Amino acid sequence: MNKTLTSLAIIVASMLAGCGESAVQAPQQTAKVANQSSTPNIVIFYIDDLGYGDIGSYGAIGVQTPALDELAANGVRFTDAHSSAATCTPSRYSLLTGEHGFRSQAEILPGDAPAIIRPGKPTLASMLKKAGYATGVVGKWHLGLGDGDVDWNQDVKPGPLEIGFDYSYLLPATGDRVPTVYLENHKVVNLDVSDPIEVSYSQKVGNRPTRLERPELARVVADTQHSETIINGVSRIGTMGGGESALWVDEEFPDVFTGKSIEFIRANKDKPFFLFHSYHDIHVPRLPHPRFQGVSDMGPRGDAIVQMDWMTGRVVDELEKLGIADNTLVIFTSDNGPVLNDGYQDQAVELLGEHKPSGPFRGGKYSAYEAGTRVPTIVYWPGKVAASVSDALVSQIDMYASLAALVDVELSEGEAMDSLNTLDVLLGEAESGRTELIEESVGSFGFRSEQWKYIVPTTDTSNTEFLVRKDIEGGFMAEAQLFDLSKDLSEQNNIAAQHQDKILAMDKRIKDIVANGYQ
Ligand code: NG6
Ligand code: CA
């Protein structure tokens, strides 16, 4: 068994090429269907780069998260819940489409990338609209916008509004990527037409200095990739000219995004609504509002966690104030595992202390080990969901089919092909979740099957140096790795050599799933 990821990717590509319209579809209803459908409001709090061990109810040491602890104590707290990938774009892609990112080559996107969820593609938002929901997205997008060569001075589309959202207020890509402006529906907010925006990821545009040119102007030391245009005193990935009146101030994110989410909730409180509240925190650059600076023991990364906790609590409080908390299903989770140094020197490493961002798991963001995708996940629905801890294997990719079951929307053939209805598990009404799951990372596939965790071997070393710099174990090795998670939760003891038959079977199963979905 020495197939490389590259050869796997070729197999994946050839299998997908042969599938087309005639691909066999995954069954939509594998788990027991929860007893009744209803149309509660749905709020997904989607945190960025929050690790398994980063909040109180999951064992955080250097930071306190009272609002989230309250949700966890009164909802279902999952110990084996996963984002579909160990980075942002493919995880978000999966959450919104119910398909693995590899089906559409979803990878970390530059800030000027075209929309990867194309108009016409069914999404969680368009599905919920069929059930009468008002749909909104506030915060980080990072799924591309426009058709390519986007002009930020015109209507920026297609974007969320073309795939099922009624309202969007976006941070277009990431906090560390230009353009550093908000986009409300199709328009850049506060743009002065006489000062047009230019953005480039290939050459310098605009007059603003870069950190490479003027390091003394940047208030945070950054790596080369993050040392282009300096905006709000922080160098970014990519260069940007113009748009001065539209520039965001990073420290204002918590108030701006929380405010927009609350506005959306207030405006839609009398009908079912779906809010995808997608945070910048705790991604880099970590620049919390002054009222959160110094509130943790861990410097800006810990302070950003406290800020994120506050933001979440503020929205939940608003649901309560409006008297709609009992009719709102809240899902709290993260797009991938943790990273400390992700391009800026912000003392995340130096001030870590005993805190374990990955909890008991190996690896982190980008990684094929468990900490890449195993993330804190809480389902909270007062009066409906009983407080419990669930060890079931669950995935964000299943939100689509599960929420469709909740609101009684029948999925059409091929819609959300990797998504399984695990609603009863998500609501804490059943204990056995998925039996198998592909975990995407930047270098290989992890594959969970019952208690086993297999990591597909790869000879591609292109991510090695990058991950060494971040002090993250990627798990990308030329040998197959197999772990028995029932005995070895932190993936220390590779037992592949003793289980060649299992590896062959799992390898074959991955190819089946790639070709046909989970059936
Ligand atoms: C990487 C960036 C990283 C982060 C990531 C996206 C490096 C050297 N650079 O290219 O800082 O922006 O992209 O993160 O790692 S994500 O959470 O949106 O996927
Ligand atoms: Ca992320």
Side-chain angles (χ1 to χ4, degrees), residues 47-49 86-90 92 107-109 140-142 173-177 223-226 237 283-285 335-337 339 341-344 365-366 442 466-467 469-470:
I47 317 305
D48 203 351
D49 296 1
T87 53
C88 168
T89 301
R92 281 153 209 265
E107 290 171 0
I108 299 173
L109 294 176
K140 174 170 169 173
W141 185 240
H142 210 189
T174 63
D176 54 353
R177 286 176 172 78
D223 66 14
T224 311
Q225 185 199 20
H226 293 80
I237 306 174
H283 199 281
V284 296
D335 68 341
N336 52 250
V339 57
N341 177 358
D342 212 12
Y344 299 95
K365 179 175 179 178
Y366 308 107
V442 296
F466 161 77
L467 289 174
R469 259 191 290 132
K470 294 182 186 295

Side-chain angles (χ1 to χ4, degrees), residues 453-482:
K453 165 74 177 279
Y454 167 49
I455 300 177
V456 177
T458 175
T459 52
D460 178 358
T461 54
S462 54
N463 287 305
T464 310
E465 195 244 337
F466 161 77
L467 289 174
V468 166
R469 259 191 290 132
K470 294 182 186 295
D471 199 20
I472 290 176
E473 293 185 288
F476 312 131
M477 296 193 180
E479 313 79 57
Q481 293 172 84
L482 183 73

